Structure formats: structure tokens, C-alpha cells
Amino acid sequence: MSTAAIRLALAVGLATLLGGCAAPRQPVPAAAPAPVNAIGDGALRGADGVLIEALPFRQGVSSVTVERLAKAQGCVGGEGASLVTPPGPVEVYKMVCQSGRVFMARCELRQCRAL
């Protein structure tokens, strides 16, 4: 077998293997947000009737870092990253994106990662 025939066979085999990567993909349907019911007493309740506690916005030492991390993952808008846990060496932050998605991050000694 000549070198040209080997190269051609290798190119055809490689094109066949990589051709599957270009196949059209089915779009993934977005999950519907959980319905929230407002009761006359002003409290927010989930679909199962459980009370949803609204936490006030609290700025933390890593809020800006978490906001940058969220922006890198496509989460923008809202009030910003709010501290959910008490301040300390390990903190959890929550940010509500403009799309309604909730971005959460855990920071340990100011080193943050998405949850």
C-alpha cells in the first residue's frame, strides 16, 4: 500500500469519526420556574404551601468577586451578590440573575467557586 493510500484512508477514517460531532443537537427545554403563590397576609409561599423566607440584601467581603464569577457564567443584573451565611472564613453568597436564575457561590478565605 502506498503512502498516499494510507494517508487517504486515515483522512477518511478521521473525517468519519469527527463527523458525528457536527450532528445537529436537539435544544434542551428550559425548566419552568416553580410557581409562587402570594397569600393575603403578604407572605410568599411555594407551590406546596411552604413559607418562603425573604432575606434582606447583605454585602459581604467577597460580593464583588462572586458578581464577577456570576458574570463569567452569564448571570447579570439584579441587586448583586448577597451574603446568605454569617460572615466568617466560609461564606455562601446568592445572586438573582436578570433571567430569574439563582447563582450561588461558596467562598472560603476569599477563594470563591460556584455551587
Side-chain angles (χ1 to χ4, degrees):
M1 212 172 174
S2 69
T3 308
I6 293 173
R7 287 184 182 166
L8 179 63
L10 183 60
V12 170
L14 192 60
T16 303
L17 285 174
L18 294 177
C21 295
R25 296 183 182 168
Q26 296 291 335
V28 178
V36 177
N37 301 322
I39 307 296
D41 61 359
L44 289 176
R45 298 185 185 274
D48 55 359
V50 176
L51 182 65
I52 299 174
E53 180 183 2
L55 297 174
F57 181 83
R58 291 190 312 163
Q59 183 81 20
V61 293
S62 297
S63 287
V64 174
T65 304
V66 172
E67 290 167 12
R68 288 184 187 143
L69 184 62
K71 185 177 180 181
Q73 295 191 13
C75 176
V76 292
E79 285 186 85
S82 175
L83 183 61
V84 177
T85 58
V90 178
E91 299 174 334
V92 176
Y93 289 84
K94 176 177 94 170
M95 182 171 164
V96 179
C97 309
Q98 194 173 24
S99 64
R101 185 177 132 229
V102 176
F103 178 83
M104 297 201 63
R106 179 180 186 267
C107 301
E108 185 170 352
L109 300 174
R110 297 188 183 185
Q111 300 298 311
C112 303
R113 65 178 176 84
L115 292 177

